[in-house]
Amino acid sequence: MCGIAGAISFNEDMREDMKIYENMQHALLRRGPDQRGIVLTKESALIHTRLAVIDVQNGRQPMSYGKYTIVYNGELYNTAEIRKELEKEFEFDTHSDTEVVLKSFVKWGEKCLDRFNGIYAFAVYDEHKHRLFMARDRIGVKPFFYYMNDNKFIFASEIPALLQHPDVPHEIDTQGVSELILMSPGRTASCGVIRGIKEVKAGWCGYYTADGLELHQYWRLKAYELHETFEQTTEHVRELVLDSIRRQLVSDVPVCTFLSGGLDSSLISSVASTEMKKHGKILDTFSIDYRDNDKYFQKSHFQPDSDPEYIQCMADYLGTNHHWTVVDTPELVNALYDATEARGLPGMADVDASLLIFCREIKKYGTVALSGECADEIFGGYPWYRDKDIRMTDGFPWAQSTAYRKNFLSEYYSEKINAEEYVYSAYRNTADYAMKLPSDSPLEYRMREMTQLNFDWFMQTLLDRKDRMSMYSGLEVRVPFCDYRIAEYLYNVPWEYKDYQGREKGLLREAMKEWLPDKVLWRKKSPYPKTHNPAFLEAVTDKLKAILEEKDNILFDLVKREELEKLTRHEDYVQWYGQLMNLPQTIAFFLQLDHWLKCYNIKLI
């Protein structure tokens, strides 16, 4: 994994702005601490920072072939197959997937994307045709932000790198305010919150030329009739999951896994451990916990038990080298600010901060880790898939808080923004976009909508989190359940199969039952662990009180001071973002928002 950036102009000499490009590159060094490069022509500046994973010695970027130059961030999991086909026509100088991506584009143009199985964001400048091609992977695991004015197209892996370019404004308008207060930590697809900053959507690609920017979709979830028995479906799922995990273990540097004691990370760890034992190696697994969580943990409908017992069960079952990261409250509070800078936006509060700390510790042992994200969205694991009342609610099931959130808007923005309309239209556009079949029952019709909603919103929020928090420490995290083949297939599997035995992800459990002990296989889903220590609420409350004492703070032009004061008194509140963000996290979110406004010198327009 890496950081990429660049700028294209057809009426300015790009060679004159080296200092700007160095500043953009510096902002991406955490993503790629191993190597760096900049290639300039009159029309183009291509910038790269490299995290070396495959062909450490030879995979330097930007990489050129003839008149084509690429900057690439990602991993191809079918590199060997594509390379074998290309070797009939091309000679290769490296073993890197970067060279395979570049020469695939040279041969097939944008149709190369149909052949790729991986996670990626890349740009190729064609000096002969005077155009930049850009693409983002089907699922949207890797980011690609951009800003465009009349003279220039500027792009980068992260928003802070774009903000290093003097052409990019540090401003937010009413859309940005709507995203921050009404949608965060979610974000409308293609919207970069800051005025003029956009993101190439997952599964989209396009060209920038002297005529402007043209983007189009090359992949989406499609509906088709599935004519398979439950037994055939189970076998199909098993083959897809095993193949995806095994492909993603390929690396020239050490590979490890996240292990939460839940179904998804345990399955990945089990397959990875088995594969490594074939080569005489022992898998390293990593878990996170919080100081005194055993003392303060409270059972709930969403989290009936804590993780350590199940984690230890899996570590013993697999015989892994297991590592614990234990986070204390002061460290967690301090990390809220680094997490904001890592995401480039205010985000998921301590849910982000704890992952940032966790990834920093994992990086001490390895460079590549596998994680269980996206199984819940694809296999139907969340409560809102299975609760009949919640799934039929006309709105985002994890964010029924618009009425509460809009109260925070200052008087100025309350008059300019129709909160209910903004949120509902975003929801309705996504639900209507989901592809259905005339033969779908009312239940299957709704489940397709639910899958698309989760795919485009909740899953993207978690993928943003995983990419930014991990790459902040130069850790590459791969997500095997994000294999597009799994997503395509499961979109068309009947709900009664997915809900096997009335259990969340019942189909996945049945398909992979040989890989786990029953205690873990049938454990009720548990969300990402968070601190239950009352000291966290006390600490973030004190910090918010300190902000409230400031007289000149742009935050109060955006948010009502009196609503923040209510938070500090711990009065009635509504979940900010599902079970992941309650009162402590809501307070921490506003700490992140305050830090973000100040850190990037944001102006309101």
Side-chain angles (χ1 to χ4, degrees):
M1 300 299 173
C2 307
I4 65 172
I8 305 294
S9 178
F10 299 104
N11 49 26
E12 295 183 20
D13 191 335
M14 305 302 287
R15 295 169 294 188
E16 297 177 355
D17 295 327
M18 186 63 174
K19 182 59 179 177
I20 293 173
Y21 309 136
E22 289 176 343
N23 290 341
M24 294 178 71
Q25 184 183 62
H26 183 77
L28 294 169
L29 283 181
R30 284 184 171 275
R31 293 187 72 90
D34 298 329
Q35 297 164 359
R36 68 187 78 174
I38 298 176
V39 170
L40 301 179
T41 68
K42 183 181 180 185
E43 296 177 344
S44 69
L46 296 178
I47 305 161
H48 195 262
T49 63
R50 186 182 183 214
L51 179 66
V53 173
I54 301 293
D55 198 355
V56 175
Q57 296 301 317
N58 300 312
R60 294 178 180 272
Q61 296 186 52
M63 182 181 288
S64 296
Y65 179 78
K67 295 294 185 179
Y68 299 89
T69 302
I70 188 173
V71 283
Y72 165 73
N73 167 32
E75 293 290 343
L76 276 194
Y77 303 127
N78 60 341
T79 297
E81 295 97 313
I82 298 174
R83 180 188 173 110
K84 185 176 181 180
E85 186 172 0
L86 290 170
E87 283 177 336
K88 299 173 184 176
E89 186 172 336
F90 298 92
E91 292 185 359
F92 281 81
D93 300 317
T94 76
H95 296 288
S96 70
D97 54 345
T98 304
E99 189 176 8
V100 170
V101 172
L102 176 58
K103 290 179 177 175
S104 293
F105 179 75
V106 172
K107 180 171 176 59
W108 296 302
E110 70 177 66
K111 292 298 182 182
C112 67
L113 301 172
D114 297 335
R115 299 169 182 263
F116 292 167
N117 180 352
I119 53 178
Y120 50 81
F122 67 91
V124 179
Y125 185 65
D126 182 342
E127 191 174 356
H128 178 69
K129 294 183 178 179
H130 305 281
R131 64 181 186 177
L132 181 80
F133 175 76
M134 67 207 75
R136 191 165 174 228
D137 66 76
R138 295 173 177 86
I139 308 295
V141 179
K142 292 289 113 181
F144 193 108
F145 292 96
Y146 67 91
Y147 174 85
M148 184 174 62
N149 57 27
D150 292 339
N151 298 316
K152 202 172 297 175
F153 180 85
I154 309 162
F155 67 92
S157 295
E158 296 180 359
I159 291 172
L162 280 181
L163 292 175
Q164 290 295 321
H165 198 290
D167 285 8
V168 180
H170 294 225
E171 301 170 343
I172 53 174
D173 54 20
T174 52
Q175 182 188 22
V177 172
S178 299
E179 291 289 320
L180 288 168
I181 304 303
L182 303 177
M183 305 302 245
S184 286
R187 181 165 52 83
T188 302
S190 82
C191 178
V193 179
I194 293 172
R195 185 174 68 85
I197 293 182
K198 297 182 179 181
E199 186 175 23
V200 174
K201 293 181 183 179
W204 282 60
C205 66
Y207 292 91
Y208 178 74
T209 67
D211 294 326
L213 177 66
E214 290 189 6
L215 296 172
H216 61 271
Q217 189 174 34
Y218 70 88
W219 183 87
R220 64 169 296 180
L221 291 173
K222 293 182 178 180
Y224 60 81
E225 294 279 2
L226 184 72
H227 301 290
E228 292 184 356
T229 65
F230 178 75
E231 291 73 21
Q232 290 170 327
T233 302
T234 301
E235 179 62 28
H236 200 153
V237 167
R238 184 183 305 114
E239 291 174 356
L240 285 171
V241 170
L242 288 174
D243 184 65
S244 179
I245 297 171
R246 287 165 177 159
R247 284 179 181 274
Q248 297 192 28
L249 290 170
V250 176
S251 172
D252 290 341
V253 295
V255 176
C256 59
T257 65
F258 288 62
L259 181 59
S260 70
L263 176 68
D264 312 325
S265 66
S266 296
L267 281 175
I268 291 171
S269 296
S270 183
V271 177
S273 177
T274 300
E275 292 300 308
M276 293 184 73
K277 285 177 180 177
K278 293 178 183 178
H279 302 283
K281 299 179 180 179
I282 298 177
L283 177 68
D284 284 280
T285 51
F286 293 83
S287 302
I288 188 170
D289 200 5
Y290 301 86
R291 186 78 61 196
D292 295 328
N293 239 27
D294 54 342
K295 178 180 178 181
Y296 294 109
F297 176 78
Q298 296 178 352
K299 292 184 178 181
S300 69
H301 173 70
F302 293 112
Q303 194 166 9
D305 44 37
S306 57
D307 294 334
E309 175 185 351
Y310 298 91
I311 291 170
Q312 194 59 55
C313 173
M314 281 305 302
D316 293 342
Y317 179 74
L318 299 176
T320 66
N321 292 324
H322 191 66
H323 310 264
W324 282 96
T325 295
V326 179
V327 181
D328 205 355
T329 297
E331 181 183 21
L332 186 60
V333 173
N334 290 335
L336 289 170
Y337 308 107
D338 284 345
T340 304
E341 295 177 33
R343 191 185 271 266
L345 291 166
M348 302 184 80
D350 61 325
V351 182
D352 277 1
S354 59
L355 182 60
L356 183 140
I357 295 168
F358 189 27
C359 289
R360 184 179 66 204
E361 294 303 307
I362 296 174
K363 177 64 176 181
K364 295 176 182 178
Y365 297 88
T367 302
V368 177
L370 272 61
S371 181
E373 265 78 9
C374 305
D376 287 303
E377 290 85 355
I378 292 171
F379 284 90
Y382 290 123
W384 47 74
Y385 277 105
R386 308 186 65 255
D387 185 302
K388 295 179 182 178
D389 293 331
I390 296 176
R391 75 179 175 219
M392 295 309 296
T393 299
D394 197 25
F396 293 114
W398 54 84
Q400 297 290 309
S401 57
T402 304
Y404 175 66
R405 285 176 177 240
K406 74 175 185 179
N407 289 334
F408 286 90
L409 289 170
S410 68
E411 295 292 344
Y412 175 80
Y413 286 108
S414 292
E415 294 177 1
K416 295 179 73 70
I417 296 170
N418 185 324
E420 286 83 5
E421 181 180 341
Y422 190 89
V423 176
Y424 184 75
S425 63
Y427 156 77
R428 195 67 259 166
N429 288 341
T430 307
D432 292 342
Y433 173 75
M435 187 178 290
K436 296 108 173 175
L437 295 175
S439 58
D440 285 342
S441 67
L443 174 61
E444 293 298 338
Y445 185 100
R446 181 55 176 168
M447 297 315 294
R448 290 194 195 274
E449 290 186 338
M450 290 292 288
T451 300
Q452 192 73 57
L453 286 164
N454 278 269
F455 207 80
D456 288 357
W457 288 90
F458 201 80
M459 191 168 85
Q460 290 302 316
T461 303
L462 295 181
L463 289 174
D464 276 359
R465 166 181 176 259
K466 185 55 64 77
D467 175 79
R468 307 308 188 276
M469 299 308 122
S470 60
M471 293 303 288
Y472 190 76
S473 293
L475 177 71
E476 174 185 315
V477 176
R478 301 174 179 178
V479 279
F481 287 109
C482 264
D483 189 306
Y484 77 94
R485 300 170 302 166
I486 297 176
E488 286 179 339
Y489 181 68
L490 265 295
Y491 188 68
N492 294 286
V493 169
W495 175 247
E496 65 174 306
Y497 288 7
K498 296 178 188 176
D499 197 39
Y500 177 67
Q501 292 191 351
R503 293 298 306 271
E504 70 274 3
K505 294 179 287 191
L507 171 61
L508 180 61
R509 296 177 196 270
E510 177 65 17
M512 303 300 292
K513 62 185 178 182
E514 303 299 327
W515 290 89
L516 297 176
D518 284 347
K519 178 177 181 177
V520 175
L521 179 68
W522 296 105
R523 181 193 179 193
K524 180 177 173 59
K525 173 179 168 49
S526 185
Y528 178 83
K530 59 187 178 186
T531 183
H532 295 268
N533 194 325
F536 180 75
L537 175 57
E538 181 181 349
V540 295
T541 299
D542 288 344
K543 287 188 174 292
L544 184 56
K545 287 179 178 178
I547 291 172
L548 285 165
E549 292 178 0
E550 299 174 12
K551 292 183 179 179
D552 297 319
N553 188 328
I554 189 176
L555 178 65
F556 305 129
D557 294 328
L558 175 59
V559 177
K560 289 178 183 173
R561 185 189 293 263
E562 56 267 32
E563 292 299 323
L564 298 181
E565 290 172 345
K566 286 183 184 179
L567 288 177
T568 66
R569 295 194 295 268
H570 304 169
E571 296 180 0
D572 292 341
Y573 69 94
V574 176
Q575 288 182 331
W576 190 261
Y577 200 71
Q579 70 270 25
L580 290 176
M581 296 183 71
N582 295 308
L583 177 60
Q585 289 75 34
T586 303
I587 294 174
F589 170 81
F590 284 105
L591 298 183
Q592 291 190 310
L593 176 58
D594 175 71
H595 179 74
W596 179 75
L597 291 167
K598 293 171 180 173
C599 180
Y600 297 108
N601 193 27
I602 301 296
K603 302 290 190 295
L604 302 178
I605 62 166

